[in-house]
Amino acid sequence: MNRAVRHHALAVVLAVVGTTTLAACTSEPGPGKGRAPGATRHVDPADRPELTPFYQQKLNWTACGAYQCAELTVPMDYAHPANGKTFVLPVARAVTAKPARRIGSIIANPGGPGASGVTSLLEEGMADSFSVTARARFDIVSFDPRGVGGSSPALTCGGDEETDEKATDTREETGSEPAPADPFFPKAPSERAEALAAAKEQADACVRHSGAILRHVGTQDVARDMDVLRAALGEPQVTYLGWSYGTSLGTAYAEQFPRRVRAMVLDGAVDPSLDWSKRAISQGAGFERAVDDYIASCADVAGDSCPGDTPEEIRTLIDRLFEETARDPLPIEGAEYGADANVLLEALVMSMYTPEAQWKSLSEALSDAGRGDGTKLARLAESEEPAPESDDSATAAPSDGPGDADEPGAEVPSDNSDAALLAVNCLDVPHPRDPQPYWEALAPAEKAAGRYGTSGVTMALACKDWPTPSPAPASGPASAPATASAPRPHRVSAEGVAPVLVVGTTGDAATPYAEAASLASQFPGGMLLTYEGLGHTAYGRSNTCVTHHVDDYLIERRTVPSGTAC
């Protein structure tokens, strides 16, 4: 989940579900281990003649405010890079103020999946997350992953107007039906049929609008793009920092290009060994614990804004609101529909990312909701900041852009993060094609994480009908792999990679601390830095102890001793 740009929380519960990666056959295993006698030696993808034009391109930097911007061209399909189909990716950088001391570039990813790295850098202060010390030694570079933000072509599952219209139609059609006892745990056959229909419509809408590129936006391909960016930057090795979903991208890169890693920080980690249902439970349990932390610590953080005088009063209010909004949504100022239980859950989940900045607003929203007004809850659920405006060239896809062949040039919203989040999550891990495993996962999810777990399972239903990645060709050189099918959950395979620093926050809801500990143990020479605090991720929002260790590692590649906590 992105640490700077926030998405709708029910999607967020799915946000990093199963963003696993698998070592592709494009990196050369080290001597001894990893290659059976007589096995084919897989060449580096940079050595493939078809990729030479991409690896040899130079970035044409131009001024964009206080930063510099450029474009990177990458093949749409790495199995067939010479077929003329490409993505053009926006790139931006904050140049160090001390070029004489410059080590190189840090490529940074703010999370998601679906977050625009360029927007995060140009408009949301990503560069300020790095310390003055780090900024003096590195340029900070970020890019929009394929299909995301200003990428051309870009993903869309339909504009806001179409989505709102369908949502209104659904409410009108089901308005006479009794509300389910638990909207996050469909039990009756009619409830399950409705959940399946809604999930299929969501997947079908993405196919209608972005069918031509849906199979090509997975994390493994984004990792390959990052290596093309490395070459275009003139860097022999990558120095990388990824937050949240950015840890999945970093893991994918380390597995495919282990010897190209100079230094890598993975902050707010996703464990690639968890399958889709275990990940939903892990994240759901994290959010449930975070809401418990809010209830217990509200007075310390939000003061007089708390919606109750005691933790018991706050918990009672939240439980009552879930029951009432499931039956009768609260009015929202200026909206034709109300704040239902989904909106309440979204508001709670969204507010667990930066408690120091969000718990006061959540407290005020809950107090208003207790008095019958859902307006502030809706604002939290939708996120506070509007999407940045852009001109037509940034919001419309080119003639060979997303959509079916008979519908080129589909309109792409200026913020397509929700569509990208769904597409990447569904591509990155196998999901059952039969509904029964989803229904069977609901009871364990409820036992482990209550409504926060079951909502993650039901959100994953959209992946049931998702197009699978393109299969590998029946024949061809071993050094020309196709876009891989969705990888199975696995432990990291990155022999020869430099020591990787994983940062975990003990009170992180979106990427629970246990996953950081697990990921660090999977990397050869992996290091775990623990931040003892609340909220999502640590570097750039925690304390000087974390900053000191991360900076020393990035600059000097100094190891972090086992058991280090801040």
Side-chain angles (χ1 to χ4, degrees):
M1 172 65 193
N2 174 20
R3 63 184 297 277
V5 180
R6 294 178 168 80
H7 307 290
H8 301 304
L10 280 181
V12 169
V13 175
L14 176 68
V16 282
V17 171
T19 50
T20 55
T21 54
L22 189 65
C25 57
T26 57
S27 58
E28 180 184 349
K33 294 182 179 180
R35 186 188 299 146
T40 302
R41 178 182 180 274
H42 300 308
V43 302
D44 191 295
D47 294 336
R48 293 173 56 194
E50 313 97 299
L51 288 173
T52 298
F54 300 100
Y55 270 90
Q56 290 186 346
Q57 68 186 296
K58 304 297 182 184
L59 295 172
N60 181 25
W61 295 106
T62 59
C64 49
Y67 303 94
Q68 294 180 348
C69 294
E71 291 183 338
L72 181 78
T73 301
V74 295
M76 183 172 291
D77 185 349
Y78 276 92
H80 308 285
N83 65 6
K85 296 181 179 180
T86 63
F87 285 98
V88 178
L89 310 179
V91 183
R93 71 177 175 183
V95 178
T96 176
K98 298 184 178 181
R101 302 187 64 206
R102 180 182 181 275
I103 295 172
S105 300
I106 294 177
I107 299 177
N109 180 277
S116 163
V118 170
T119 298
S120 294
L121 187 61
L122 300 186
E123 301 180 19
E124 294 165 0
M126 180 201 287
D128 294 333
S129 295
F130 292 85
S131 70
V132 173
T133 302
R135 288 289 307 278
R137 307 304 301 275
F138 296 96
D139 298 338
I140 309 300
V141 177
S142 196
F143 67 103
D144 285 1
R146 51 175 55 211
V148 173
S151 163
S152 179
L155 284 162
T156 178
C157 295
D160 294 338
E161 181 177 341
E162 175 182 336
T163 303
D164 292 344
E165 182 179 343
K166 289 184 180 298
T168 300
D169 291 344
T170 301
R171 291 185 182 94
E172 291 175 350
E173 291 170 3
T174 61
S176 59
E177 298 292 330
D182 183 348
F184 310 113
F185 193 150
K187 294 184 177 71
S190 60
E191 294 173 1
R192 293 185 171 183
E194 183 177 343
L196 287 171
K200 187 174 188 307
E201 171 54 33
Q202 191 175 21
D204 288 349
C206 294
V207 172
R208 283 196 303 272
H209 291 279
S210 298
I213 65 171
L214 277 185
R215 291 175 171 84
H216 301 291
V217 297
T219 300
Q220 293 189 76
D221 280 337
V222 178
R224 296 181 184 186
D225 297 342
M226 195 161 77
D227 196 57
V228 176
L229 175 59
R230 171 203 59 77
L233 290 168
E235 304 282 357
Q237 292 182 303
V238 158
T239 302
Y240 176 81
L241 193 151
W243 289 280
S244 195
Y245 162 77
T247 67
S248 289
L249 176 55
T251 299
Y253 185 89
E255 290 190 302
Q256 295 186 65
F257 307 99
R259 290 171 177 80
R260 296 260 179 84
V261 175
R262 175 191 171 273
M264 179 172 285
V265 178
L266 306 179
D267 184 359
V270 178
D271 183 354
S273 70
L274 301 181
D275 67 16
W276 71 272
S277 60
K278 290 178 181 177
R279 178 60 198 151
I281 290 175
S282 173
Q283 193 178 57
F287 281 119
E288 185 176 52
R289 286 192 299 269
V291 173
D292 287 343
D293 287 338
Y294 161 73
I295 291 170
S297 306
C298 181
D300 296 331
V301 178
D304 294 339
S305 298
C306 289
D309 293 331
T310 65
E312 291 73 19
E313 287 185 15
I314 299 173
R315 186 180 302 279
T316 298
L317 172 62
I318 292 174
D319 290 342
R320 175 172 66 83
L321 287 173
F322 269 115
E323 294 177 4
E324 293 178 352
T325 55
R327 298 191 306 268
D328 188 15
L330 300 172
I332 300 171
E333 183 179 351
E336 296 181 1
Y337 56 91
D340 59 10
N342 290 323
V343 172
L344 174 59
L345 181 67
E346 290 173 2
L348 285 164
V349 168
M350 295 309 301
S351 301
M352 297 301 111
Y353 284 85
T354 52
E356 68 277 8
Q358 295 176 289
W359 279 6
K360 181 177 180 180
S361 296
L362 173 63
S363 298
E364 293 171 351
L366 289 172
S367 295
D368 282 6
R371 294 189 289 268
D373 184 356
T375 303
K376 290 183 179 178
L377 281 179
R379 289 176 181 169
L380 285 178
E382 295 292 336
S383 79
E384 303 88 347
E385 297 180 0
E389 295 183 1
S390 56
D391 57 28
D392 292 341
S393 64
T395 58
S399 59
D400 61 347
D404 296 329
D406 58 345
E407 287 187 353
E411 283 291 312
V412 179
S414 57
D415 178 3
N416 69 341
S417 53
D418 287 340
L421 181 148
L422 177 62
V424 175
N425 286 330
C426 290
L427 274 177
D428 272 7
V429 71
H431 282 74
R433 294 292 180 177
D434 184 87
Q436 189 58 32
Y438 298 91
W439 310 143
E440 292 173 354
L442 284 169
E446 182 180 52
K447 181 178 180 180
R451 58 179 67 95
Y452 304 96
T454 55
S455 61
V457 172
T458 54
M459 279 302 301
L461 280 170
C463 296
K464 184 181 77 69
D465 298 298
W466 204 259
T468 57
S470 301
S475 62
S479 59
T483 300
S485 59
R488 298 289 172 181
H490 68 287
R491 291 182 64 83
V492 172
S493 176
E495 184 180 349
V497 72
V500 171
L501 176 59
V502 179
V503 184
T505 299
T506 55
D508 194 327
T511 51
Y513 176 76
E515 296 194 37
S518 176
L519 183 63
S521 72
Q522 295 174 43
F523 275 104
M527 301 171 289
L528 176 65
L529 174 62
T530 300
Y531 169 53
E532 297 174 340
L534 301 175
H536 183 41
T537 73
Y539 186 71
R541 63 165 295 268
S542 56
N543 60 28
T544 56
C545 173
V546 170
T547 301
H548 169 76
H549 284 294
V550 172
D551 285 354
D552 279 358
Y553 167 72
L554 288 172
I555 295 168
E556 305 290 345
R557 288 182 282 189
R558 188 171 300 163
T559 58
V560 175
S562 176
T564 299
C566 295

